[in-house]
Amino acid sequence: VAHYFSNLPEVASRPGEVNLSVGELSVKLRSDRGVFASGRIDQGTLILLRQAPEPVGAADLLDLGCGYGPIAVTLAKRCPAATVWAVDVNERAVALTSFNAEALGLANLKAGLPSEVPDEVAFDEIWSNPPIRVGKAALHELLATWLPRLKPAGRAWLVVQRNLGADSLAGWLAAEGYEVRREASKQGYRVLQVLASR
Ligand SMILES: C[S@@+](CC[C@H](N)C(=O)[O-])C[C@H]1O[C@@H](n2cnc3c(N)ncnc32)[C@H](O)[C@@H]1O
């Protein structure tokens, strides 16, 4: 079975457009079959973008699991002085985020496979609507790979559906030594803030 998190989706490409509108921002994004939430902006993504505060100033920001790029595009638009790194294991998703960055003239958005982010880059903020359906072990491994790449004063913003384990994820993060705050709880989703300092 092919999932949206496959490296190369088996389903044939059929590009479409979705409207992303958050606050002042209103843009069209190219999407496609075989990527997460291909026909619409995911509800959790919208809640994350509307509830978490905008990053301030120049920074290195990461969109972990970027899909076709709604989070990365929003961050790159809102923070022209920031460098936004967008990674996904799904190559079609990476190509779509690159396409959307170029179409919108966002030279500060770099999309790639996870291995393409240089080792020395550390992040002020990680933003993610993380892949819950990969299973708990893979999700924990993903977060254990990227959260340590936050700068000492950095933080992560995660959106997770409550009935897909937001509270147990928060518990796991706390057990790993992170300070976790519940930033918002809305329409069945939790927005978690995870502080880098342990
Ligand atoms: C819930 S979707 C969110 C997509 C997009 N950020 C959005 O808001 O529409 C999670 C994404 O994580 C990606 N993913 C799964 N495993 C990953 C991994 N190990 N590293 C990076 N991305 C991964 C999936 O391919 C998927 O695009």
Side-chain angles (χ1 to χ4, degrees), residues 43-53 127 156-162 166-167 170 180-194:
Q43 185 71 11
T45 295
L46 280 176
I47 288 172
L48 174 67
L49 293 173
R50 289 179 177 149
Q51 299 295 322
W127 287 61
W157 297 104
L158 309 176
V159 65
V160 182
Q161 240 172 303
R162 204 155 58 87
D167 294 342
V180 186
R181 298 177 185 163
R182 193 189 292 165
E183 180 72 12
S185 190
K186 217 173 152 52
Q187 292 165 279
Y189 290 86
R190 300 260 204 248
V191 175
L192 304 177
Q193 181 186 176
V194 186

Side-chain angles (χ1 to χ4, degrees), residues 4-5 36-37 42 45 63-68 70-71 87-90 114 129-131 134 142:
Y4 63 77
F5 47 85
F36 176 78
D42 177 66
T45 295
D63 175 0
L64 177 57
C66 61
Y68 54 86
I71 297 173
V87 301
D88 207 294
V89 289
N90 179 330
N129 178 350
V134 297
L142 179 70

Side-chain angles (χ1 to χ4, degrees), residues 62-134:
L62 173 69
D63 175 0
L64 177 57
C66 61
Y68 54 86
I71 297 173
V73 161
T74 303
L75 294 173
K77 271 271 189 196
R78 283 175 173 174
C79 312
T83 301
V84 180
W85 302 85
V87 301
D88 207 294
V89 289
N90 179 330
E91 292 176 24
R92 186 175 290 170
V94 172
L96 287 162
T97 299
S98 288
F99 177 95
N100 286 321
E102 200 161 319
L104 296 166
L106 297 171
N108 61 334
L109 200 178
K110 300 172 191 295
L113 295 171
S115 60
E116 292 177 308
V117 180
D119 287 342
E120 63 276 14
V121 176
F123 305 104
D124 296 275
E125 295 193 358
I126 295 175
W127 287 61
S128 188
N129 178 350
I132 300 301
R133 293 174 205 277
V134 297

